[in-house]
């Protein structure tokens, strides 16, 4: 594969678990209360360094949504999905699977971000 | 057609009623000049005039203007008799008798008479009359001075020039000429009378005195427009006046003439030397290759090994005798092109080097670092200057203008920084998308910017940067794909693409011209030979470099002699 183009983010960054490529800023994190069949997932405002798959209609916990899977641009691992058409607050946003990302790249990984079970964040997916 | 025709002679009527060329096909030898009559020009005809007032099929050229500029051109070419004959035969004098008299008086040096005549040639703008008079009187003044007639010159200055010419500093200058011992030390040397006439010509309105070389200027304008409209214009051949200029697409390189298979891994970068005699390539296999461009094709000159990381880019020295290679977040190496030896390694503790470029002087090199700073080194490895702060990104390109003043790099994901290292001025190009790479035009006036969303933007960077062009069609989703200027006068844009094709656009119109298949992997970089507008090189993930040339074999610059593709496996 050619010379991969990947941007670097400044600040507290979530990255790809396989290759550490920067994916999202913690300031873009909207909700930690999402789920996918592999476990927990986070909703982000914006994600970088990804490529998208086909746009499909998919049945999810909260109903039918139009989504596209997204992959790390460097290693190609699936990292989550993007909402194309959905409820207003989700449209154009991204979900990264907790199991595919590492947080605080460069910072101590012991700082646990998913301890707060009492997250009242909306539902599903 | 109503009453108009009834008063015209029969011959005229026949011509006027002809639609298209029917009535004129007899090649008439009548006294009336024949033009392309259409129903439009009929409508414009004034019933009382003899000749048609307009010529040409669109009815926008006025006959008397046309004849006058032709007459002027004949005189300029030295065909005085023809010019005079044309004036006579058409009944359209080049200049009014007053202007002719004026011209003669100026050339003869009859200054006072010429100033008087000036007022009689129908100039409505008084400032022009005054400026022209001043020019003439100054000439009179200088000629008197040169002839030693100081008292008369003084009289002219006092009585004629001073009341007329309001510019007091000029009057002072002229006065000082009276005082200075040698008239040759004039602030303005005495010019010849024909030069004076030229100056006066520029001052007077064009309807009064036809400007010099007007017809030549109009023809040049048309040729320029034709050339600009020619989308495939890529040839140095002279344009002819006999037919509209129109290059065929066959002058754009579109056929693979050679495949270079020496690299062991993806080829990420190619660039021709300034003189077009060499090609340099950089690969994921941690080597760079210098290729020689010869009449029999391109072949390996040197393989440059030593880097421990893939090489992301190269940079040719201004005199093409040395080459820089940059290992990704590693070091820069400087190589001698003729021997292939590594002359110097540039490194910095704590930061990897990510980009490299030569200073136009050839005495320094510039590099971007992984800590976002930019560093300047002397050739022997001594660091001389460093610019910290967010000047460059890890993935950024680096370039510098030919005057050695402005450094260009990507300082933020959406922003290109143009940084003047002397004045410390900063200019920015703000894009709405993330920038992946850029390329500077040869004349340093334009910047081609590649974006994340598969668009290429062209910016004019003289003064305030302005977006002036967009190119689309190629594919980019994961890699750094590069584009470049190229062809005759850099009239084209070429780019690599993740769909394995080479894309070419017409630069000023943005029209796509070619999408060239051939490579079996993403095309990462393209380079157009600056010395040969018919040669293009492309670097691909399929580990090869392709040389593209013209389809037809009969063109001057064609390299390959066979009909097939010439493979080169690296032997010299």
């Amino acid at each position: 594969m050619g010379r991969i183009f990947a941007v670097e983010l400044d600040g507290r960054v979530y990255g790809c678990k396989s290759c550490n490529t920067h994916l999202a800023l913690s300031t873009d994190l909207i909700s930690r209360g999402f789920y996918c069949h592999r476990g927990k997932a986070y909703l982000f405002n914006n994600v970088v360094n990804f490529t998208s798959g086909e746009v499909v209609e998919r049945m999810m916990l909260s109903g039918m949504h139009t989504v596209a899977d997204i992959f790390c641009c460097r290693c190609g691992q699936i990292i989550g999905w993007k909402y194309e058409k959905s409820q207003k607050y989700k449209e154009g946003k991204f979900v990264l699977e907790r199991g595919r990302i590492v947080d605080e790249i460069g910072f101590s990984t012991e700082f646990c971000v998913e301890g707060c079970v009492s997250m009242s964040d909306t539902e599903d997916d | 057609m109503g009453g108009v025709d009834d008063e015209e002679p029969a011959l005229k009527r026949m011509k006027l009623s002809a639609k298209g060329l029917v009535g004129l096909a007899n090649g008439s030898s009548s006294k009336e000049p024949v033009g392309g009559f259409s129903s439009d020009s009929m409508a414009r005809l004034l019933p009382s005039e003899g000749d048609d007032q307009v010529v040409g099929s669109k009815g926008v050229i006025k006959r008397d203007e046309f004849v006058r500029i032709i007459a002027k051109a004949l005189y300029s070419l030295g065909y005085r008799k023809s010019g005079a004959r044309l004036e006579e035969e058409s009944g359209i004098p080049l200049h009014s008798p007053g202007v002719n008299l004026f011209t003669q008086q100026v050339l003869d040096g009859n200054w006072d008479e010429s100033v008087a005549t000036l007022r009689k040639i129908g100039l409505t703008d008084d400032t022009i009359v005054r400026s022209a008079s001043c020019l003439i009187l100054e000439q009179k003044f200088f000629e008197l001075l040169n002839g030693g007639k100081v008292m008369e010159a003084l009289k002219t200055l006092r009585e004629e020039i001073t009341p007329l010419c309001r510019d007091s500093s000029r009057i002072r200058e002229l006065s000082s000429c009276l005082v200075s011992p040698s008239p040759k030390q004039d602030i303005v040397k005495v010019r010849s009378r024909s030069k004076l006439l030229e100056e006066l010509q520029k001052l007077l309105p064009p309807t009064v005195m036809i400007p010099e070389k007007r017809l030549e200027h109009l023809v040049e304008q048309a040729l320029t427009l034709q050339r600009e409209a020619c989308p495939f214009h890529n040839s140095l051949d002279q344009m002819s006046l006999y037919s509209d200029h129109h290059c065929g697409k066959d002058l754009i390189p579109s056929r693979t003439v050679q495949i270079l298979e020496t690299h062991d891994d993806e080829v990420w970068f190619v660039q021709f030397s300034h003189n077009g005699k060499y090609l340099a390539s950089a690969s994921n296999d941690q080597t760079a290759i210098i290729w020689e461009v010869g009449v029999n094709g391109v072949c390996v000159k040197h393989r440059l090994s030593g880097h421990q990381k893939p090489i992301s880019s190269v940079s040719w020295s201004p005199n093409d005798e040395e080459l820089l290679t940059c290992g990704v977040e590693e070091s820069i190496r400087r190589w001698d092109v003729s021997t292939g030896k590594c002359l110097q390694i540039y490194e910095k503790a704590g930061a990897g080097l990510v980009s490299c470029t030569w200073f136009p002087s050839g005495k320094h090199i510039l590099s971007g670092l992984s800590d976002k700073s930019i560093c300047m080194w002397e050739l022997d490895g001594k660091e001389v200057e460093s610019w910290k702060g967010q000047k460059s990104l890890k993935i950024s390109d680096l370039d510098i203008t030919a005057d050695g003043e402005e450094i260009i790099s990507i300082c933020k994901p959406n922003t290109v920084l143009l940084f003047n290292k002397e004045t410390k001025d900063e200019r920015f190009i703000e894009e709405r998308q993330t920038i992946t790479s850029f390329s500077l035009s040869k004349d340093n006036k334009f910047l081609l910017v590649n974006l994340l969303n598969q668009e290429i933007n062209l910016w004019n960077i003289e003064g305030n940067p302005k977006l002036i062009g967009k190119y689309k069609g190629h594919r980019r989703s994961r890699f750094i794909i590069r584009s470049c200027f190229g062809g005759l006068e850099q009239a084209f844009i070429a780019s690599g693409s993740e769909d394995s094709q080479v894309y070419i656009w017409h630069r000023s119109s943005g029209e796509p011209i070619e999408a060239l298949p051939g490579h079996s992997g993403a095309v990462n970089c393209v380079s157009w030979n600056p010395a040969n507008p018919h040669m293009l090189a492309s670097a691909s993930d399929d580990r090869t470099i392709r040389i593209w040339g013209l389809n037809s074999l009969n063109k001057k610059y064609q390299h390959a002699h066979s009909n097939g593709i010439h493979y080169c496996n690296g032997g010299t």
Side-chain angles (χ1 to χ4, degrees):
Chain A
M1 64 195 173
R3 201 171 150 218
I4 301 279
F5 178 81
V7 295
E8 285 202 349
L9 302 168
D10 285 323
R12 196 175 129 191
V13 178
Y14 290 90
C16 173
K17 191 167 184 173
S18 320
C19 65
N20 279 332
T21 301
H22 292 198
L23 293 174
L25 282 169
S26 65
T27 47
D28 276 330
L29 177 59
I30 304 171
S31 159
R32 292 192 193 105
F34 279 66
Y35 285 90
C36 65
H37 63 274
R38 277 184 287 263
K40 280 184 154 200
Y42 294 170
L43 181 70
F44 285 92
N45 238 335
N46 192 32
V47 165
V48 295
N49 298 333
F50 68 93
T51 53
S52 328
E54 295 254 338
V55 178
V56 293
E57 298 265 309
R58 188 175 290 163
M59 181 56 86
M60 306 179 103
L61 286 174
S62 61
M64 201 63 148
H65 295 287
T66 312
V67 298
D69 285 332
I70 60 176
F71 307 84
C72 171
C73 72
R74 195 182 298 274
C75 63
Q77 281 274 4
I78 188 168
I79 51 177
W81 65 89
K82 176 182 187 211
Y83 287 106
E84 298 290 335
K85 278 209 103 23
S86 181
Q87 294 123 302
K88 262 257 146 83
Y89 78 98
K90 285 183 197 158
E91 226 167 75
K93 308 272 201 282
F94 303 82
V95 174
L96 295 181
E97 298 180 21
R98 190 69 192 89
R100 302 286 185 176
I101 59 177
V102 287
D103 57 45
E104 312 266 5
I105 299 196
F107 290 65
S108 164
T109 44
E110 264 131 41
F111 186 79
C112 182
V113 288
E114 50 188 324
C116 324
V117 183
S118 59
M119 269 283 156
S120 59
D121 281 291
T122 19
E123 67 226 332
D124 65 345
D125 298 354
Chain B
M1 290 186 261
V4 172
D5 293 348
D6 295 340
E7 284 139 32
E8 309 298 334
L11 188 60
K12 251 294 169 58
R13 209 182 315 144
M14 177 185 79
K15 275 192 242 148
L16 287 175
S17 60
K19 294 225 186 278
L21 296 168
V22 173
L24 310 171
N26 60 359
S28 72
S29 54
S30 75
K31 283 204 207 95
E32 321 291 353
V34 173
F37 298 105
S38 70
S39 40
D40 282 353
S41 49
M42 276 194 279
R44 286 192 184 82
L45 187 69
L46 300 176
S48 55
E49 298 297 323
D51 283 307
D52 293 304
Q53 295 292 294
V54 290
V55 296
S57 57
K58 297 204 196 301
V60 296
I61 305 173
K62 298 191 199 116
R63 172 183 291 278
D64 56 347
E65 288 191 358
F66 196 48
V67 170
R68 284 173 86 195
I69 63 172
I70 294 174
K72 181 80 183 183
L74 286 171
Y75 283 121
S76 303
L77 287 167
Y79 305 132
R80 302 204 61 83
K81 278 196 250 175
S82 300
R85 184 85 184 98
L86 175 58
E87 286 190 72
E88 188 193 344
E89 203 175 334
S90 64
I92 299 171
L94 174 59
H95 290 133
S96 67
V99 171
N100 282 336
L101 180 62
F102 175 71
T103 307
Q104 198 54 49
Q105 286 169 337
V106 168
L107 288 172
D108 291 341
N110 296 341
W111 310 119
D112 299 328
E113 291 90 335
S114 65
V115 173
T117 311
L118 194 58
R119 293 175 192 282
K120 290 194 215 144
I121 55 177
L123 293 171
T124 48
D125 190 348
D126 205 47
T127 42
I128 296 180
V129 176
R130 205 178 21 244
S131 315
S133 304
C134 287
L135 269 177
I136 296 170
L137 290 169
E138 276 192 28
Q139 184 74 12
K140 177 180 176 189
F141 173 79
F142 282 119
E143 286 200 4
L144 284 172
L145 214 53
N146 258 7
K149 303 194 178 124
V150 183
M151 288 317 292
E152 291 185 41
L154 179 60
K155 180 172 170 205
T156 304
L157 181 59
R158 273 210 197 122
E159 294 175 16
E160 292 171 15
I161 299 179
T162 309
L164 202 57
C165 305
R166 306 262 173 84
D167 187 356
S168 50
S169 57
R170 181 77 187 136
I171 296 185
R172 273 198 292 278
E173 277 173 15
L174 295 173
S175 310
S176 68
C177 296
L178 283 169
V179 175
S180 80
S182 159
K184 293 248 161 49
Q185 281 167 13
D186 287 345
I187 292 155
V188 172
K189 290 205 257 305
V190 184
R191 51 180 148 215
S192 71
R193 287 178 188 169
S194 43
K195 271 252 171 267
L196 171 66
L197 198 56
E198 267 180 46
E199 289 295 311
L200 288 166
Q201 221 164 45
K202 285 188 210 155
L203 213 52
L204 298 173
T207 45
V208 171
M209 233 173 161
I210 307 290
E212 285 294 324
K213 305 228 183 285
R214 182 64 190 158
L215 184 60
E216 292 87 328
H217 172 78
L218 286 170
V219 173
E220 282 170 350
Q221 218 176 46
L223 289 176
T224 304
L225 282 170
Q226 279 176 29
R227 201 189 62 219
E228 282 170 5
C230 176
F232 310 123
H233 184 74
N234 202 24
S235 158
L236 288 162
D237 295 337
Q238 282 281 49
M239 288 171 73
S240 163
L241 292 180
Y242 298 137
S243 57
D244 279 4
H245 180 74
H246 185 72
C247 283
K249 216 170 167 183
D250 57 322
L251 288 176
I252 310 285
S254 50
R255 179 173 78 94
T256 301
V257 297
Q258 204 176 347
I259 298 184
L260 311 174
E261 295 182 309
T262 316
H263 277 295
D264 298 320
D265 206 327
E266 298 157 9
V267 191
W268 287 355
F269 197 91
V270 270
Q271 193 172 71
F272 282 98
S273 61
H274 301 97
N275 58 14
K277 294 194 186 146
Y278 299 105
L279 181 67
S281 61
S283 167
N284 196 21
D285 69 4
Q286 303 180 355
T287 71
I289 298 179
I290 296 176
W291 308 81
E292 191 150 357
V293 178
V295 287
N296 288 325
V298 176
C299 55
V300 176
K301 186 174 168 67
H302 292 296
R303 189 132 190 206
L304 313 174
S305 310
H307 279 287
Q308 301 297 307
K309 286 277 173 70
I311 303 178
S312 55
S313 65
V314 305
S315 178
W316 286 95
S317 69
N319 62 8
D320 290 336
E321 287 175 13
E322 296 181 0
L323 187 75
L324 294 177
T325 55
C326 184
V328 177
E329 292 186 47
E330 191 212 32
S331 61
I332 291 176
R333 284 176 179 243
R334 180 165 63 91
W335 310 80
D336 181 290
V337 171
S338 50
T339 63
K341 294 221 179 323
C342 178
L343 303 171
Q344 184 73 35
I345 302 180
Y346 306 87
E347 285 173 313
K348 193 152 185 187
L353 276 55
V354 298
S355 58
C356 62
T357 193
W358 283 85
F359 252 86
S361 61
K363 300 205 171 52
H364 294 92
I365 68 161
L366 209 58
S367 162
L369 285 87
S370 55
D371 64 0
K372 301 193 181 159
S373 65
I374 296 179
C375 241
M376 178 173 164
W377 274 280
E378 269 172 24
L379 289 187
D380 61 9
K382 186 169 107 176
E383 187 184 316
V384 295
E385 202 164 348
S386 168
W387 294 274
K388 303 236 191 303
Q390 191 151 1
K391 292 275 182 276
S392 185
L393 295 181
K394 253 196 216 176
I395 44 77
S396 176
D397 294 329
L398 189 66
D399 213 334
I400 186 164
T401 51
D403 56 12
E405 290 193 11
E406 226 176 11
I407 297 173
I408 306 175
S409 79
I410 304 170
C411 65
K412 280 194 259 192
N414 293 13
T415 312
V416 172
L417 165 66
L418 298 116
F419 168 65
N420 189 315
K421 65 182 243 309
E422 302 302 321
T423 67
K424 308 282 186 270
D425 277 341
E426 291 182 340
R427 298 192 289 152
F428 298 95
I429 292 176
E430 299 279 354
E431 285 279 7
R432 295 208 192 111
Q433 285 275 327
T434 307
I435 300 165
T436 58
S437 67
F438 66 77
S439 180
L440 183 64
S441 68
K442 203 168 175 177
D443 58 11
N444 290 179
K445 294 183 187 167
F446 301 95
L447 198 70
L448 201 58
V449 179
N450 282 45
L451 301 178
L452 194 78
N453 67 348
Q454 303 183 139
E455 287 180 1
I456 303 176
N457 279 352
L458 180 64
W459 290 80
N460 180 327
I461 56 171
E462 285 191 293
N464 265 331
K466 281 178 289 289
L467 180 62
I468 59 169
K470 279 182 174 287
Y471 310 93
K472 293 184 212 192
H474 69 298
R475 294 248 162 276
R476 187 227 91 84
S477 57
R478 298 175 68 204
F479 309 142
I480 294 180
I481 298 290
R482 314 190 76 87
S483 55
C484 69
F485 294 88
L488 193 67
E489 289 168 26
Q490 300 209 315
F492 303 98
I493 304 288
S495 174
S497 172
E498 283 178 24
D499 66 8
S500 312
Q501 300 187 96
V502 173
Y503 283 78
I504 300 177
W505 295 264
H506 185 226
R507 173 173 156 184
S508 48
S509 68
E511 284 293 306
I513 297 177
E514 291 277 19
L516 308 174
H519 278 294
S520 52
V523 179
N524 297 311
C525 185
V526 289
S527 179
W528 211 308
N529 191 328
N532 178 355
H534 303 150
M535 185 191 253
L536 193 62
S538 57
S540 168
D541 276 355
D542 66 5
R543 306 176 191 186
T544 71
I545 297 163
R546 281 191 176 225
I547 306 291
W548 305 82
L550 299 180
N551 256 324
S552 157
L553 284 176
N554 289 331
K555 298 290 174 182
K556 264 193 277 180
Y557 294 116
Q558 201 55 8
H559 284 238
H561 292 297
S562 65
N563 264 327
I565 297 169
H566 180 192
Y567 286 78
C568 174
N569 272 333
T572 19

